[in-house]
Each structure stands twice: as structure tokens, then as C-alpha cells.
Amino acid sequence: GQNIDQPTEMTATEGAIVQINCTYQTSGFNGLFWYQQHAGEAPTFLSYNVLDGLEEKGRFSSFLSRSKGYSYLLLKELQMKDSASYLCAVRSEDNYGQNFVFGPGTRLSVLP
Amino acid sequence: DTEVTQTPKHLVMGMTNKKSLKCEQHMGHRAMYWYKQKAKKPPELMFVYSYEKLSINESVPSRFSPECPNSSLLNLHLHALQPEDSALYLCASSQDDRGQGGYTFGSGTRLTVV
């Protein structure tokens, strides 16, 4: 099975930097995804890591350490519209096939 | 076209009704998914179709019946649902069932069972 953990809630100030952590335990790891989800809307894809290291995409960066079962999403120059839930999702494969499981999500509130 | 389209956006149904949720994508993706999401919870995988064949059924009750008529369409047939089945039902697709290129989600169908 898989076990994915994220902080439940975080608060940050507009213009600041925030790091959202995700830890996971799984066998057959085959990729980690970050999604943003505004209340009542569908998740939107932010980033994908399958190798160790940092992936940068504009104001968003995602880091992965496979040996530590750890990832983080870094949001820079926070804007009010970044207030949303951020979901870490882990893909893995075992003898029964592919699994794609979301973590519990981190609800980020950006304050003026 | 880079979207996954779901219809209807909202659905209210009685416990004896039969209804269907529809999902469509024209990105050439060969894997399609149904997720169920309760309020303030992450999406939970229900079904995976890969190349129009059901590859994963996450022990979903038989009152939910998926169908993949072709590579662009995915349906979820609903029958004799319970009030606890009320949730947001999300459809997603990816290039293949390895998630290449990420997963694209539709905006969901908000289902209320009365």
C-alpha cells in the first residue's frame, strides 16, 4: 500500500515564499505529481518529478528525494490567487498494476 | 483541444433513479480515469481504463458501472445509489496509463443523491 502525508493547513503572506512538504512510503515508486485545487474546482497539474532534484516552472518549483521518500512544492512571490489546496500524488507499480494515489492535501491561505 | 469535458456539471437523483455521467477528451489520451471526491478530501480513484479496457477497479460497489465506448469517451452509469454517494465525480485522462505528461482533470460532476 501507500502512505502519503502532508500538512493539513498552512498560512503565508502575499509576496512571500512557502514550502509545502510531502512524505510518502511506497514500493515500486514511479513518479510524484503536484496538483493545485481551488474549492469546488478540478485539480490542475503543477509539476512532475520522477528523478531526484529540483524542477522549476515559473513561480513554482518541486523537489524530490527518492531515498528519503520526500518532496516539496515551493511557491515564490505568493499571490492571493494561490490560496488553494495543494495535492501531492504518488504513482507506483506493483505486480497488480499501476497505482496513483493522492495525499490528503494542504490547504494554503495567502493573506494580504 | 486540451480539455476533459464532463457532463452534467450538477446532478440530483433519487435512490431509485438510473443516470449516467459522461466524460470526453480529444487529446488522443489512451488512459481515462474516474475519481470520487468528498468535501475537503483528496480524490479517490475508482476506475482506470487503458486503451479502452478496464484495467483497475478499486473495489467500487456494483451500483457504479463504468463504460468506455471508444478512446475519447468514458461513461459512469449510476443505479440505486445511496445518499453517501453524494460527491464530486472527476474524470481524468493521460497519454497512457503510466501517466506520461501528467493527468488532465475535467471540472467534475457534483452529484447529490436524495
Side-chain angles (χ1 to χ4, degrees):
Chain A
Q2 294 182 337
N3 188 24
I4 305 172
D5 199 23
Q6 299 179 238
T8 305
E9 294 190 24
M10 297 183 72
T11 303
T13 305
E14 196 174 13
I17 299 173
V18 71
Q19 177 174 312
I20 303 174
N21 296 325
C22 171
T23 57
Y24 64 90
Q25 294 173 312
T26 188
S27 55
F29 174 83
N30 206 356
L32 188 142
F33 299 76
W34 282 96
Y35 284 82
Q36 179 192 64
Q37 187 175 27
H38 287 97
E41 298 182 11
T44 55
F45 172 74
L46 291 178
S47 70
Y48 168 63
N49 295 70
V50 67
L51 299 176
D52 289 352
L54 188 68
E55 294 281 343
E56 297 187 76
K57 204 187 269 189
R59 294 190 299 116
F60 295 77
S61 304
S62 58
F63 171 83
L64 175 68
S65 168
R66 288 172 299 171
S67 61
K68 295 181 180 176
Y70 169 68
S71 174
Y72 67 72
L73 180 70
L74 194 70
L75 291 77
K76 302 175 187 175
E77 301 169 15
L78 280 175
Q79 302 174 8
M80 299 296 288
K81 66 178 182 179
D82 297 329
S83 293
S85 286
Y86 291 85
L87 299 160
C88 161
V90 174
R91 187 162 61 84
S92 63
E93 291 188 65
D94 57 24
N95 291 336
Y96 302 99
Q98 178 214 191
N99 297 293
F100 183 77
V101 178
F102 284 93
T106 298
R107 197 155 47 249
L108 174 67
S109 299
V110 179
L111 305 178
Chain B
D1 189 348
T2 58
E3 290 186 349
V4 173
T5 303
Q6 288 188 244
T7 55
K9 293 195 183 305
H10 300 274
L11 178 63
V12 179
M13 60 184 291
M15 289 188 282
T16 58
N17 291 159
K18 285 185 182 180
K19 297 286 184 183
S20 296
L21 309 185
K22 297 186 182 302
C23 175
E24 190 168 0
Q25 57 86 16
H26 296 286
M27 295 177 280
H29 288 179
R30 301 312 300 268
M32 296 183 76
Y33 311 80
W34 279 115
Y35 284 86
K36 173 182 177 180
Q37 187 174 24
K38 303 283 272 184
K40 298 186 179 180
K41 298 287 186 182
E44 295 177 0
L45 183 65
M46 298 175 72
F47 301 104
V48 179
Y49 271 82
S50 179
Y51 293 85
E52 297 148 58
K53 292 185 180 174
L54 183 65
S55 63
I56 294 178
N57 175 345
E58 292 285 357
S59 302
V60 178
S62 59
R63 57 186 185 267
F64 295 91
S65 174
E67 180 199 15
C68 190
N70 60 55
S71 60
S72 298
L73 294 174
L74 185 66
N75 299 323
L76 185 63
H77 303 298
L78 314 173
H79 173 54
L81 294 193
Q82 303 297 311
E84 59 264 29
D85 297 322
S86 298
L88 180 68
Y89 288 84
L90 293 163
C91 174
S93 69
S94 61
Q95 290 179 16
D96 57 28
D97 65 0
R98 300 180 69 82
Q100 294 297 321
Y103 297 76
T104 303
F105 282 83
S107 56
T109 294
R110 189 161 299 281
L111 174 68
T112 303
V113 181
V114 297

